[in-house]
Each structure stands twice: as C-alpha cells, then as structure tokens.
Amino acid sequence: MKPYPSRKWPLVVYLLLCSLLAISSCADDDDALPITIPPADSLERVTEISGIQVTGITVSDAGRIFTTFPRWREGVPYTLAELVDGQPRPYPSTELNAWDVGQAPGDKLVNVQSAIAVGDTLYVGDTRNPLMEGLITQPRIHLFDLRTDELLRTYELAPSATVQATYVNDLRVDRGRQLVYFTDSGEGALMVLDLQSGESWRHLDGHPSVQAEVDTLNIAGTPFTQKIPSDGIAIDTVGGRLLYHALSGYTLHAIALDALAQRDTATAAAAVTTVATTPAPDGMWRLTGGTIMADLEAQAVVFVTDGGQVTTLVEGPEVGWADTFSAGDGFLYFTNSKLQEAGVGKDVSGMTFPIYRIPLPE
C-alpha cells in the first residue's frame, strides 16, 4: 500500500513563490522613479525673445519671471529683465542696465549671467567679465527687494576668491547658513559668499572635479569645442551637500555644505564625492532623490537619480540648449540659449530664443 501523499509540499511552494514575489517587488521599488513623468506633449512655449540671447531664468514665489542676457557681444541693451506680458523689461530700471562694452562700469549692471529669486529677495550675479575676456572689476552680487524693487545691498567678491579669468556662473542661496555658492566657469572652482560678514573665499581651485573632462561635445551632430569647467550647481538640502557639474563632462559631483562653509581648502577637497555618471548638462534643478538637468547632446531635459538612472522628461530640436531651470506655479521653466549656434561674439540679431515650461515632476 502506497503511503498517503504529504499535503505539506503545496505550502512549501506557496512560501517559495511569496519569497520570489517579495524579491521582485523590492527590485521594482529600487528601480521606481521618485517622480512622475509629465506627458510627452506637455512642452509649452512661454515666450520667444528676438535678437537678444537669454540664458538665466528664475521664478519668484509670487510668480514673477526674471531673465538674464549676458553681454557676450557688444550692443546688448540690457542684461537683467523681468518678463511683463511675455516681453523682457529691463530690471530694476533701464538706467541701471545702460552699459556697453568699453564704457566705465561704475555701478551699472555689466554682465549678469545668473539670478535667483529666494523668498522676497532677488540675488543677481554680475560677472564683471563681459565678452568672457577677463574681469574688468571684481564680480558683484546684488540683492533686490522684490516687494519694493529697491536695491538692498551689493557685495563684491574678494580678489582672493577669484582669478583674472573668473566667470561667475550659476549661484545658489543657502538661507540656513546665510551663504551663497557660485561656480567659476572661467577657471574651474567653487566660490562662497558670507551674507552676514561680506567675506568670500574660493574652494577646489584646480581640483579634477571642477575641470572639463572632454574637449568636444556633439550637439545634434555639430561639434562644440569650447571647454567649459564647473557650471551647473544645485543644493541637496536633504543630503546637506552642493551638487556641481562641469559642462564639458559626464560626472555629477557633490561636496558637503559644512566643508564649503569652512575656509580650509584641504577640508573642502576631502569632502568631494562622486554622485553619478550623467549626460553633459548646463544648469541643474534639484528634486527629492534626483536632479533635473539638460542632456545637451540629445537636446533633451532629463531626470537623473542619485544612482545614475536617467529618464527623459522632454526632448527635441525645440528644447535645444536647455540652459537654466527654475520652478514656479507647478511648472518647470527653462531657457533655450542656443549656445551651440549663438556662441560668444556672434551676431544674434536675426535669431529668436524661446522660454519653455513643462509640468513640474512630483
């Protein structure tokens, strides 16, 4: 007589299947994006600016949009503006913007590359390096009160924080520490300004992480041979670090904010870490768990997780050179500076420069 078959084996199989499903679920969770991707047809043109190359954009809490127009050629009528009814209006005044190459700089806005609205304050970085040919005075940072549009204070970066080729590019404000961080895209480095004391200092001068990694980028089939070091930055408030990236490169780096706050250069250098391999970008915008940036070579905007997973948010010729990002009203705004076409010193009088937005990934 055959023994009665055991009924225990289905339970074993069941437990095994549950284990496999749990492992699969964990793997799916690891691969899952921490954001939702906007629809493919969500790209919306906000405005298009004729004859003046736009790079920077920032959106205030009140929904005001400010843009920057670097003086990379003669005859640029204004370098900082607010979009009013879709058109740029010199900010805070035409008079303060009234400067051209060869004139005495005085207290004018000479060459604004980046501006960022934080709360009721607009932080404006004047490179004082028109045509990217070298400093004509020390770079300045102007703070404007957005409630009154009045100038609150002007800071000047110390000579010890800069070199002759310094080009102040992206800036970010650390309100907790009362510090402002900048990239030097002329001679790779990071710079820090103390808003309370007015002191400034330089970090990572000559460090490999702030240098260009490649000689050439391939932008839609066209070689871009201008080697640009440290460019885009973003604050990771959760991780307590500043993310930064060379434009001519494929590596996202980070440095602890506590290390940046110190003057000791060795401490800063020891605090550098590698975050991920990414596309070559310009500006960046930080979200929880990852960073929005351009994929310049693919003419796309992408989201890159801290683990290096790259997801395209929007792409196409209209995206072009996605230069600077800002969030406001539930949207992600960005400029197409067409840098691969306009370059520095070229005539752009017949060109147009669009500003776009897409729903802000959540």
Side-chain angles (χ1 to χ4, degrees):
M1 179 178 180
K2 295 181 179 179
Y4 191 79
S6 171
R7 297 289 184 182
K8 293 182 179 180
W9 68 267
L11 178 60
V12 173
V13 173
Y14 173 78
L15 293 174
L16 179 61
L17 288 173
C18 286
S19 298
L20 292 173
L21 287 172
I23 293 172
S24 174
S25 176
C26 289
D28 290 343
D29 288 342
D30 289 340
D31 293 339
L33 284 175
I35 61 167
T36 55
I37 305 301
D41 60 350
S42 61
L43 183 67
E44 176 186 353
R45 190 172 69 186
V46 176
T47 190
E48 195 165 46
I49 299 169
S50 299
I52 311 173
Q53 186 181 17
V54 62
T55 57
I57 186 168
T58 187
V59 183
S60 75
D61 292 344
R64 299 172 70 181
I65 301 175
F66 299 90
T67 52
T68 66
F69 305 83
R71 286 191 164 107
W72 290 342
R73 54 193 56 83
E74 296 182 10
V76 178
Y78 44 81
T79 187
L80 176 65
E82 179 179 5
L83 286 186
V84 180
D85 296 327
Q87 293 302 312
R89 175 186 295 172
Y91 184 88
S93 66
T94 299
E95 180 184 5
L96 198 61
N97 278 270
W99 184 87
D100 204 354
V101 177
Q103 297 177 351
D107 291 327
K108 304 291 188 179
L109 292 174
V110 171
N111 183 39
V112 176
Q113 175 71 29
S114 298
I116 187 167
V118 180
D120 291 322
T121 304
L122 182 67
Y123 297 78
V124 177
D126 186 346
T127 71
R128 294 276 162 147
N129 185 346
L131 306 181
M132 299 184 76
E133 293 181 347
L135 296 177
I136 59 173
T137 72
Q138 288 303 113
R140 293 184 174 186
I141 292 80
H142 306 284
L143 276 58
F144 291 95
D145 188 336
L146 292 177
R147 295 166 297 188
T148 63
D149 295 325
E150 296 293 327
L151 179 65
L152 294 172
R153 182 171 177 179
T154 294
Y155 298 85
E156 193 169 89
L157 294 185
S160 59
T162 64
V163 297
Q164 180 57 32
T166 287
Y167 191 85
V168 176
N169 204 315
D170 279 9
L171 65 94
R172 290 293 183 269
V173 180
D174 184 341
R175 287 200 281 186
R177 294 174 175 81
Q178 283 293 287
L179 299 175
V180 183
Y181 311 115
F182 311 87
T183 49
D184 184 345
S185 292
E187 193 80 28
L190 300 179
M191 297 168 290
V192 185
L193 168 68
D194 187 321
L195 292 170
Q196 294 179 319
S197 69
E199 297 177 348
S200 54
W201 54 95
R202 187 176 182 87
H203 277 315
L204 304 183
D205 197 11
H207 193 276
S209 66
V210 294
Q211 302 304 313
E213 298 175 0
V214 296
D215 295 331
T216 304
L217 297 177
N218 188 331
I219 311 296
T222 301
F224 180 79
T225 57
Q226 184 181 353
K227 291 176 63 176
I228 301 178
S230 46
D231 192 305
I233 52 174
I235 296 178
D236 175 9
T237 55
V238 175
R241 58 187 182 166
L242 183 75
L243 306 176
Y244 61 96
H245 206 302
L247 189 151
S248 302
Y250 303 101
T251 309
L252 178 63
H253 296 281
I255 184 171
L257 296 177
D258 287 342
L260 281 177
Q262 301 181 40
R263 273 63 162 182
D264 184 63
T265 56
T267 299
V272 172
T273 58
T274 298
V275 179
T277 298
T278 75
D282 197 318
M284 304 191 296
W285 190 261
R286 182 69 182 179
L287 297 179
T288 301
T291 308
I292 292 175
M293 62 179 66
D295 181 343
L296 294 176
E297 294 180 301
Q299 295 187 307
V301 176
V302 300
F303 177 80
V304 183
T305 67
D306 289 346
Q309 182 181 354
V310 179
T311 301
T312 299
L313 303 181
V314 63
E315 62 181 331
E318 62 276 8
V319 172
W321 190 292
D323 195 300
T324 306
F325 300 94
S326 185
D329 301 323
F331 290 91
L332 177 74
Y333 290 76
F334 65 94
T335 58
N336 176 1
S337 68
K338 300 184 179 179
L339 185 57
Q340 78 280 18
E341 303 171 43
V344 175
K346 294 182 179 179
D347 180 12
V348 298
S349 58
M351 297 179 64
T352 57
F353 300 89
I355 296 174
Y356 294 107
R357 69 179 189 179
I358 59 174
L360 183 67
E362 299 178 354

